[in-house]
Amino acid sequence: MNYDGQYACGLNDRSLISPRFETTPMDALQKKRSRATLSESSIVLIGLLFAIVGLAFQDSFGFTSLLAALGIGLVVGGTVYIAVEGSEVVRFSLVFISLVALPLLSYGGAVRWLGGMLIGAVIVGASYSRIAD
């Protein structure tokens, strides 16, 4: 590459890009696409429906148990996401903590206390995010 920004063959780096690609690959990733998304409340309602169906019916394969677990996870995660006012990082962090802490409550001893403290941290974080604004 010469000092004037051209290659030895006389082509600059913009001429190497094919004319059908007007944008760089990073620009394509940053474009906002209009697509249908579900609101937070509809995700909670879908989770509630999954939990009810999973708990009301039984099968021999264990599919309804997985459906109930998925429904409970959607309800808990969606509720925490709705309850927290703040940036996406704070919201998703508290959702993750709540989803990790919830199964810990089913154990005994110190593990249950750890789950309880994590749920308490989620409640304090959600409350603080609402009060701080």
Side-chain angles (χ1 to χ4, degrees):
M1 189 162 161
N2 297 336
Y3 292 110
D4 58 355
Q6 293 184 353
Y7 290 98
C9 62
L11 299 173
N12 59 18
D13 56 318
R14 291 301 273 173
S15 65
L16 294 175
I17 298 174
S18 174
R20 63 185 179 130
F21 296 115
E22 292 296 324
T23 60
T24 62
M26 288 305 291
D27 292 338
L29 291 175
Q30 294 175 355
K31 283 185 181 177
K32 297 203 182 232
R33 298 178 188 221
S34 60
R35 58 181 176 169
T37 58
L38 293 173
S39 66
E40 294 91 359
S41 59
S42 63
I43 291 175
V44 172
L45 290 176
I46 290 170
L48 190 60
L49 178 70
F50 283 178
I52 290 171
V53 169
L55 293 174
F57 300 106
Q58 287 187 342
D59 64 347
S60 58
F61 297 115
F63 177 72
T64 55
S65 300
L66 291 174
L67 191 65
L70 178 66
I72 292 169
L74 284 174
V75 168
V76 169
T79 304
V80 170
Y81 187 84
I82 290 172
V84 175
E85 295 285 331
S87 67
E88 295 294 317
V89 173
V90 173
R91 285 178 149 185
F92 284 125
S93 297
L94 290 177
V95 167
F96 178 76
I97 291 171
S98 68
L99 291 176
V100 167
L102 196 62
L104 296 179
L105 296 175
S106 66
Y107 295 103
V111 176
R112 179 177 287 175
W113 281 99
L114 178 64
M117 287 190 298
L118 288 174
I119 293 293
V122 169
I123 292 171
V124 167
S127 301
Y128 180 75
S129 72
R130 289 204 169 259
I131 293 172
D133 288 337

